[in-house]
Amino acid sequence: DTEVTQTPKHLVMGMTNKKSLKCEQHMGHRAMYWYKQKAKKPPELMFVYSYEKLSINESVPSRFSPECPNSSLLNLHLHALQPEDSALYLCASSLGTSGTETQYFGPGTRLLVL
Amino acid sequence: GEDVEQSLFLSVREGDSSVINCTYTDSSSTYLYWYKQEPGAGLQLLTYIFSNMDMKQDQRLTVLLNKKDKHLSLRIADTQTGDSAIYFCAENGGATNKLIFGTGTLLAVQP
């Protein structure tokens, strides 16, 4: 089973709202990722967690706050977002982060910020 | 730089072969990947090739790697309308496992 699940599928929020995106995998993977994808563009890496510790933050604004409560779950907390943050947010996981590990992606959460 | 280049668009007829090309930049990449993205969906891993190989075949998919020219291609045999999607190549950015994606190729299959 190579399934990564994400909830919700769609999210509409105002600029003053606080919301969270969730990602889950049960493949025993120890690395999890958040990507942001704008329309007609490739995904851009935001964060990497390795063994439940944040290992990469690609200079993402603090209005995006990741959390990894355990090895199967990854959250992305959203607060005071801007309309330009509207995008598809993709979660991925891999066995590790050794540089040879294949990443498996979830279906994404489509976010609209009004 | 980290630019991974792909042609933007490819149109083929159903039953023909499709060839999607990718030029990558990091000669130290260990694995190179092809992902498929259907409209409104996430990325589906199609196949990958280890950098010491020059060809990999997986059913209708053939991946060719020219490491000297840093050129990767994906051939889809007997292309079907269900193959219509955006195809991304990606290189593995070394020890951090950071994926560098290509610009994406929109494949349109005409019935």
Side-chain angles (χ1 to χ4, degrees), chain A residues 33 35 42-43 45 98-103 105, chain B residues 1-6 22-35 43 45 47-51 63 65-67 69-72 87-104:
Chain A
Y33 310 76
Y35 288 83
L45 183 65
S98 68
T100 61
E101 309 289 0
T102 300
Q103 292 182 33
F105 284 79
Chain B
E2 294 185 333
D3 291 340
V4 180
E5 299 289 339
Q6 296 179 240
C22 170
T23 304
Y24 63 97
T25 56
D26 188 350
S27 57
S28 67
S29 292
T30 311
Y31 283 96
L32 295 134
Y33 300 88
W34 284 104
Y35 286 89
L43 273 71
L45 176 67
T47 188
Y48 59 90
I49 188 166
F50 189 49
S51 58
V63 180
L65 176 60
N66 181 329
K67 209 171 172 186
D69 294 338
K70 295 184 195 153
H71 185 261
L72 180 73
Y87 290 80
F88 291 100
C89 64
E91 60 176 335
N92 189 303
T96 62
N97 212 42
K98 179 177 174 179
L99 280 179
I100 310 298
F101 283 92
T103 45

Side-chain angles (χ1 to χ4, degrees), chain B residues 3-4 6-7 10 18-19 25 29 32 37 41 52 54-55 58 60 66 84 86 91 93 95 101-102 105 108-110:
Chain B
D3 291 340
V4 180
Q6 296 179 240
S7 50
L10 175 66
S18 309
V19 179
T25 56
S29 292
L32 295 134
Q37 188 174 34
N52 70 352
D54 51 23
M55 187 182 96
D58 185 359
R60 291 191 298 124
N66 181 329
S84 294
I86 298 176
E91 60 176 335
F101 283 92
T105 298
V109 182
Q110 312 299 327

Side-chain angles (χ1 to χ4, degrees), chain A residues 11-56:
Chain A
L11 179 63
V12 180
M13 61 186 290
M15 288 188 283
T16 57
N17 292 158
K18 282 186 182 181
K19 297 284 185 185
S20 296
L21 310 185
K22 295 185 184 304
C23 174
E24 192 165 2
Q25 56 85 17
H26 295 288
M27 296 180 276
H29 288 177
R30 302 311 299 267
M32 296 184 77
Y33 310 76
W34 280 115
Y35 288 83
K36 174 182 177 180
Q37 186 180 25
K38 300 285 275 185
K40 301 187 193 310
K41 296 289 186 187
E44 295 176 347
L45 183 65
M46 300 174 73
F47 303 104
V48 180
Y49 271 82
S50 178
Y51 290 83
E52 296 149 55
K53 289 190 180 354
L54 184 65
S55 60
I56 295 178

